[in-house]
Amino acid sequence: MRLGRIASPDGVAFVSIEGDLADPAAMIAREIAEHPFGTPNFTGRSWPLPDVRLLAPILASKVVCIGKNYTDHIAEMTELTGPAAPDPIIFLKPNTAIVGPNVPIRLPANASPVHFEGELAAVVGRPCKDVTAAEAADSILGYTIGNDVSARDQQKADGQWTRAKGHDTFCPVGPWIVTDVDPADLEIRTEVNGEVKQHSRTSLMIHDVGAIVEWISAVMTLLPGDLILTGTPAGVGPIEDGDTVAITIEGIGTLSNPVVRKGKS
């Protein structure tokens, strides 16, 4: 099932998005009553997908991100972030960084370079604390696409990552959540203005989703809707005013966002 969140003429709603990705004009958004967790209850209302606007598919209380989870990305970023670590490296993005498909990534006037980072994102489906890797799959609602946008100069200047990765619009997510995809070995590809910049597979992650959920839930309680960004492969690079970033993950779809430079205040 594809679970999404839309703005329609009747307001904002969670929906099931049905139809063939090869024919988006024929896809339908069926309204879900209340929330998408558990077995969805449908209201009976629906809209053609072209008649509604896709929003970020979930309202997260927090975004937990994994750093240094692909060996090739560690190699390209060693000067800034240091060598590989034996355990997952976690950091947080504020939920105010989340935006949906087609919403502009706004580059701060005082930040350069700003990089894209295409990532598989897991969506937590139920409260979990001290979950083992073997139990992790039962705690996940599904998977979507995330972009861990990062201001590299601020990351280097601060010596930690909160400001550099926490700006408003620095966490595009979408276009929807897929509940029946296996995250173990999915193709991930990032394009900027149609040029491929990242091309990898999730099977190359150092820590898989089960290990990640176990590690995070030993530290903090994960709540329904929380997002876990699982790390990015090599190929990250700068984005500029006027660019478009498109991240495609096999079995999920494509998350696309334009880029604009904020005016100086």
Side-chain angles (χ1 to χ4, degrees):
M1 179 179 288
R2 298 185 201 100
L3 300 172
R5 197 166 141 266
I6 63 163
S8 76
D10 299 312
V12 174
F14 287 107
V15 294
S16 170
I17 299 168
E18 302 173 2
D20 188 345
L21 285 176
D23 187 10
M27 296 177 76
I28 298 294
R30 295 178 61 207
E31 186 178 41
I32 295 172
E34 298 178 350
H35 59 73
F37 304 104
T39 302
N41 294 314
F42 294 96
T43 66
R45 296 200 300 180
S46 64
W47 302 267
L49 190 61
D51 292 352
V52 300
R53 179 165 57 92
L54 285 169
L55 305 174
I58 203 68
L59 299 171
S61 74
K62 55 185 171 291
V63 184
V64 189
C65 305
I66 303 297
K68 303 183 181 182
N69 203 26
Y70 286 79
T71 301
D72 55 2
H73 178 59
I74 294 170
E76 72 178 354
M77 297 298 292
T78 296
E79 183 177 349
L80 179 61
T81 63
D87 296 316
I89 302 295
I90 62 175
F91 60 94
L92 298 173
K93 281 180 177 276
N95 57 12
T96 48
I98 297 171
V99 292
N102 304 312
V103 174
I105 299 166
R106 298 192 175 276
L107 307 179
N110 63 343
S112 182
V114 175
H115 282 192
F116 61 85
E117 294 190 11
E119 309 197 8
L120 176 71
V123 182
V124 176
R126 66 184 190 187
C128 58
K129 174 65 176 161
D130 296 323
V131 173
T132 68
E135 298 168 334
D138 294 334
S139 301
I140 300 299
L141 174 65
Y143 296 89
T144 186
I145 303 169
N147 187 350
D148 176 20
V149 183
S150 306
R152 297 301 187 200
D153 57 337
Q154 295 178 1
Q155 189 175 1
K156 183 175 181 179
D158 294 354
Q160 50 85 22
W161 302 354
T162 301
R163 178 170 68 121
K165 292 172 175 280
H167 289 275
D168 290 354
T169 76
F170 271 28
C171 189
V173 179
W176 39 63
I177 301 160
V178 178
T179 61
D180 55 358
V181 67
D182 183 346
D185 185 26
L186 302 175
E187 180 187 40
I188 179 168
R189 185 177 73 252
T190 303
E191 299 179 3
V192 178
N193 303 328
E195 181 181 352
V196 176
K197 299 293 187 177
Q198 294 180 290
H199 192 194
S200 189
R201 302 196 70 87
T202 58
S203 56
L204 297 175
M205 290 194 296
I206 297 169
H207 309 287
D208 65 15
V209 173
I212 289 169
V213 172
E214 180 176 306
W215 184 260
I216 296 171
S217 69
V219 178
M220 66 188 77
T221 300
L222 292 165
L223 300 176
D226 283 351
L227 285 164
I228 301 172
L229 270 59
T230 61
T232 196
V236 302
I239 47 177
E240 302 289 349
D241 181 64
D243 287 345
T244 297
V245 183
I247 305 165
T248 300
I249 297 183
E250 179 184 359
I252 298 177
T254 298
L255 169 66
S256 182
N257 296 88
V259 181
V260 300
R261 173 70 66 175
K262 290 170 59 177
K264 295 182 179 179
S265 57

